[in-house]
Amino acid sequence: MKAVRTAQKHSAGIDFFRLAAACMVVAIHTAPLSSVSEDADYLLTYCLGRVAVPFFLMTSGYFVLAPYIWNKAHKKQSLRRFLIKNALLYFAVSLLYLPISLYSGNLPKHAGELCRNVFFDGTFYHLWYFPAAILGCIIVITIAQRSVGSAVLLSGAAYLIGVFGDSWYGLIKDFAPLRLFYDGIFTVTGYTRNGIFFTPIFLLLGVLLANPKFRCKKKVCLYGTAVAVFCMLLEGYASYGAGMQRHNSMYLFLPPVMYFLFQLLLSVPGASVPLLRKTSMLVYLIHPAVILAVRGFAKLIHQTGLFVTNSLIHYLLVCGISWIAAILLEGGKRLCIKKDAHGSN
């Protein structure tokens, strides 16, 4: 197939949405509107906010996997570096959170649980993204380099299986053969939101949208995004209200939302903003530690009601401190690199 260049590689829309996506992830772990309205919190945080992780996966598919799949002459080193970098980052951050897991008594109790955490569920609750992204990349590359069509069919089927182990689990849990099938899955991994059922479809959507033949006109994307978001909110509220959910990461309308939304982001003109790329990842990594710090400080000064129980203030504090810390860390790293560069000269 004709090689495709990612012409919008420096789109500002992608980088600015990283900021919003990182804030959505923080919201998922702090429930900002829960003390105001549980229904509103669910719709905004655990339904609409679920676009965050698929967005990050699509950026990996678009920038990292697409050149390798569409351009047969593209060197494999960039993909290899991406996988190694994420594996090393996962290992390093796991070590950083190890004392917290030890203190809270959440360490694996046996080798099987350790393997499940490392390869599927994450060594800390937000770190599931890394093994999922790595495994998903390997699956997509393995299939798509032989047949993109087969990759689309298989990843779509896997996602559909995942949905019925997630937001629509209530539809199948009383049907013995299917319940037995999903029980088997849940002995290996705690969720279907993982590198087998969840990530391949979004990585592949990023790959497809790097090829102009798979894109729509902007007007179609605008209407498509609006309709798909509306349908996803209805789906989410229906499955939530009917008690169908085992978890709430996977919705039937989430892939259509991401297909149209990502194209709108690609259409935003302007240069890329590297600082947002770096700091959004740092916010993702450090915000659970900030949550613990805010709770600990609030307890110390006897202001738990204000800084923790008030979910909106709690969210704003965690989000704000996480971004400030991320900017300071990234700024400090860049300063050290400049000093080293001057020193070597």
Side-chain angles (χ1 to χ4, degrees):
M1 179 172 289
K2 182 180 177 181
V4 177
R5 295 177 60 192
T6 53
Q8 294 91 354
K9 187 173 181 179
H10 299 291
S11 171
I14 296 295
D15 284 341
F16 279 109
F17 197 78
R18 292 177 194 271
L19 189 157
C23 291
M24 289 177 190
V25 172
V26 177
I28 288 168
H29 296 142
T30 54
L33 297 179
S34 59
S35 61
V36 179
S37 167
E38 289 189 4
D39 287 346
D41 187 61
Y42 171 76
L43 286 174
L44 291 176
T45 304
Y46 300 102
C47 196
L48 190 60
R50 290 302 185 185
V51 305
V53 171
F55 163 77
F56 286 124
L57 291 169
M58 288 182 70
T59 61
S60 296
Y62 185 84
F63 292 118
V64 180
L65 302 188
Y68 179 70
I69 291 172
W70 296 125
N71 185 357
K72 301 303 182 182
H74 189 76
K75 294 181 179 180
K76 297 180 181 180
Q77 282 85 344
S78 60
L79 175 60
R80 190 177 295 115
R81 282 198 300 269
F82 173 80
L83 294 175
I84 293 173
K85 177 183 176 182
N86 277 274
L88 291 175
L89 183 59
Y90 178 41
F91 176 73
V93 180
S94 295
L95 289 180
L96 288 177
Y97 279 98
L98 184 60
I100 297 175
S101 297
L102 182 63
Y103 176 78
S104 60
N106 289 328
L107 288 177
K109 296 175 177 58
H110 49 78
E113 187 177 352
L114 175 63
C115 289
R116 186 171 85 169
N117 289 351
V118 170
F119 295 109
F120 291 104
D121 295 349
T123 52
F124 206 72
Y125 64 81
H126 68 308
L127 297 181
W128 69 270
Y129 176 86
F130 289 97
I134 293 168
L135 180 57
C137 283
I138 294 171
I139 291 172
V140 169
I141 284 294
T142 302
I143 302 172
Q145 66 181 352
R146 293 174 173 81
S147 170
V148 174
S150 297
V152 171
L153 289 174
L154 291 173
S155 63
Y159 186 81
L160 189 61
I161 292 170
V163 166
F164 287 101
D166 193 272
S167 61
W168 289 106
Y169 180 69
L171 289 179
I172 61 90
K173 67 182 180 67
D174 294 325
F175 185 53
L178 284 177
R179 188 179 68 245
L180 187 64
F181 170 72
Y182 281 96
D183 285 347
I185 292 174
F186 296 133
T187 59
V188 178
T189 174
Y191 307 94
T192 51
R193 173 216 63 187
N194 57 43
I196 297 174
F197 302 105
F198 180 75
T199 60
I201 188 66
F202 297 111
L203 290 166
L204 194 57
L205 281 176
V207 170
L208 293 177
L209 291 178
N211 188 330
K213 69 180 285 186
F214 295 108
R215 298 181 198 162
C216 304
K217 292 181 179 179
K218 187 174 181 179
K219 188 174 182 180
V220 174
C221 292
L222 283 168
Y223 286 117
T225 301
V227 171
V229 166
F230 178 73
C231 290
M232 186 176 73
L233 290 174
L234 282 180
E235 177 193 357
Y237 195 72
S239 60
Y240 169 71
M244 295 286 177
Q245 298 182 346
R246 186 179 185 274
H247 195 51
N248 50 31
S249 290
M250 304 176 73
Y251 300 105
L252 292 170
F253 282 96
L254 183 54
V257 168
M258 298 312 303
Y259 173 72
F260 292 116
L261 175 61
F262 200 81
Q263 291 180 75
L264 289 179
L265 296 174
L266 289 174
S267 70
V268 176
S272 65
V273 188
L275 181 64
L276 287 177
R277 292 202 300 272
K278 301 290 187 179
T279 52
S280 61
M281 176 55 76
L282 284 172
V283 168
Y284 186 95
L285 294 175
I286 67 176
H287 77 272
V290 175
I291 291 173
L292 291 173
V294 168
R295 290 177 178 174
F297 181 73
K299 186 176 181 180
L300 182 66
I301 63 172
H302 306 291
Q303 291 295 329
T304 300
L306 177 63
F307 295 140
V308 179
T309 306
N310 188 316
S311 59
L312 184 56
I313 291 179
H314 180 60
Y315 166 72
L316 292 174
L317 274 174
V318 171
C319 209
I321 294 171
S322 297
W323 275 104
I324 291 170
I327 292 169
L328 291 175
L329 286 169
E330 180 60 22
K333 188 185 82 171
R334 293 187 178 193
L335 185 62
C336 290
I337 291 173
K338 285 184 180 180
K339 285 184 177 180
D340 288 342
H342 287 306
S344 61
N345 290 334

